[in-house]
């Protein structure tokens, strides 16, 4: 059987990240300046990438940064720039925010399609057309958008301590594509993804991929919060997956209650690639088509996003 379209797009991510790094100079003028107070918006996957970037940027000292689901953007709050992440360039809630902000604050969109309404509504645009996708479920564009933003922080000497270069992340992504998925993970009945700081957004995205592609029972938590109740779900036949380092002692606690721990040692963005592969594998094992997820479309376009 030929691999799914989603699988094929997942496999291109290391090269897409390298292309984001190579083309950073084309997009840098559209990206936040050091010291700007920035809000980053998106929907679904793009919202989780916004969360990851916001934490990276603020922790790295580049400037105060908040992340919001576009439908929850606080219009009464002052920002120097609003950055919108939108693969399709047609997402209703994102367009509504950009339209309302036009002429009042600097806006930037990071998108995959240069022939969409976001091109007219955003003040500046970074087009990552090389990372566009046919799949409904986002993989390549989302991680490449974050790779671009991460590369920009790297170029500005504003990566937090311990965060690797994008080139290093791409090398780890190749390892993630080659690494086998253990049977205990593929056959688990429940998955909890854990992150710390910027990787909490990645944990939420990993859980979303499992829900979208495979209809799996998944949750995501900040790693330190996992002890405060959620660890009660862990046990035999259930997975706790760390995207990045775990707090001291947590790995032992997971093993003590019989859970299967995944701590792959990869760059967290590469760890997300491994989780994407798991989502496809679980979907196919359950007789589902990852290219045709239930109840989803490639872009959410509402008749009246303000209603």
């Amino acid at each position: 059987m030929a691999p799914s379209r989603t699988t094929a797009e997942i496999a291109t991510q290391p090269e897409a990240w390298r292309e984001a790094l190579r083309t950073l100079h084309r997009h840098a003028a559209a990206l936040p300046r050091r010291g700007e107070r920035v809000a980053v918006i998106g929907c679904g996957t793009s919202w989780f990438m916004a969360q990851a970037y916001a934490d990276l940027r603020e922790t790295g000292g580049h400037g105060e940064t908040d992340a919001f689901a576009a439908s929850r953007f606080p219009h009464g709050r002052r920002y120097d720039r609003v950055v919108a992440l939108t693969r399709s360039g047609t997402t209703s809630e994102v367009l509504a925010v950009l339209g309302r902000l036009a002429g009042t604050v600097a806006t930037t969109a990071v998108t995959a399609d240069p022939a969409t309404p976001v091109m007219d509504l955003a003040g500046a645009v970074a087009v990552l057309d090389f990372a566009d996708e046919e799949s409904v479920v986002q993989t390549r564009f989302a991680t490449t958008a974050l790779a671009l933003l991460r590369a920009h922080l790297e170029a500005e000497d504003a990566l937090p301590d311990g965060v690797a270069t994008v080139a290093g992340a791409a090398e780890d992504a190749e390892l993630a594509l080659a690494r086998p998925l253990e049977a205990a993970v593929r056959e688990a009945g429940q998955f909890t993804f854990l992150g710390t700081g910027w990787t909490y957004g990645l944990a939420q995205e990993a859980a979303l991929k499992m829900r979208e592609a495979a209809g799996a029972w998944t949750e995501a938590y900040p790693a330190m919060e996992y002890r405060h109740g959620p660890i009660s779900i862990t046990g035999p036949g259930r997975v706790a997956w760390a995207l990045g380092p775990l707090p001291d002692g947590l790995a032992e606690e997971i093993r003590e209650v019989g859970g299967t721990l995944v701590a792959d040692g990869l760059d967290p963005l590469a760890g997300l690639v491994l989780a994407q592969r798991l989502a496809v594998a679980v979907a196919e094992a359950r007789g589902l088509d990852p290219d045709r997820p239930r109840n989803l479309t490639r872009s959410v376009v509402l008749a009246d996003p303000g209603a």
Side-chain angles (χ1 to χ4, degrees), residues 143-166:
T143 63
T144 303
L146 184 56
L148 176 77
L149 295 165
R150 179 171 162 181
H152 184 241
L153 295 178
E154 181 184 333
E156 302 246 316
D157 195 25
L159 276 182
D161 291 343
V163 178
T165 65
V166 171

Side-chain angles (χ1 to χ4, degrees), residues 30 80-84 97-99 101-109 118 121-125:
D80 300 313
R81 181 178 302 272
V82 174
V83 177
V97 172
L98 292 176
L101 292 177
T104 66
V105 64
T107 56
T108 292
V118 76
L121 289 174
V125 183

Side-chain angles (χ1 to χ4, degrees), residues 98-178:
L98 292 176
R100 184 168 170 180
L101 292 177
T104 66
V105 64
T107 56
T108 292
V110 181
T111 188
D113 191 341
T116 55
V118 76
M119 301 294 292
D120 297 322
L121 289 174
V125 183
V127 178
L128 308 182
D129 49 359
F130 59 88
D132 201 0
E133 300 162 309
E134 296 180 15
S135 296
V136 172
V137 173
Q138 279 202 63
T139 56
R140 176 175 65 194
F141 172 75
T143 63
T144 303
L146 184 56
L148 176 77
L149 295 165
R150 179 171 162 181
H152 184 241
L153 295 178
E154 181 184 333
E156 302 246 316
D157 195 25
L159 276 182
D161 291 343
V163 178
T165 65
V166 171
E171 291 179 2
D172 273 9
E174 290 180 337
L175 297 176
L177 291 169

Side-chain angles (χ1 to χ4, degrees), residues 1-135:
M1 184 175 66
S4 66
R5 180 168 58 243
T6 305
T7 295
E9 290 173 348
I10 287 171
T12 64
Q13 287 174 106
E15 183 53 31
W17 301 355
R18 293 183 179 111
E19 183 65 11
L21 190 57
R22 285 191 292 266
T23 58
L24 173 62
H25 64 283
R26 298 182 200 164
H27 309 299
L31 302 180
R33 280 69 164 161
R34 184 182 290 275
E36 284 185 330
R37 188 167 189 257
V38 172
V40 195
I41 62 171
C43 297
T45 289
S46 292
W47 177 33
F48 298 144
M49 296 300 103
Q51 290 178 18
Y53 171 60
D55 194 286
L56 277 173
R57 182 174 186 264
E58 186 159 322
T59 303
H62 202 256
E64 185 177 350
T65 317
D66 296 323
F68 301 100
S71 60
R72 299 291 298 161
F73 181 75
H75 283 279
R77 199 173 294 180
R78 185 194 65 79
Y79 290 99
D80 300 313
R81 181 178 302 272
V82 174
V83 177
L85 305 182
T86 169
R87 174 179 66 169
S88 68
T90 62
T91 305
S92 296
E93 298 98 308
V94 170
L95 298 182
V97 172
L98 292 176
R100 184 168 170 180
L101 292 177
T104 66
V105 64
T107 56
T108 292
V110 181
T111 188
D113 191 341
T116 55
V118 76
M119 301 294 292
D120 297 322
L121 289 174
V125 183
V127 178
L128 308 182
D129 49 359
F130 59 88
D132 201 0
E133 300 162 309
E134 296 180 15
S135 296

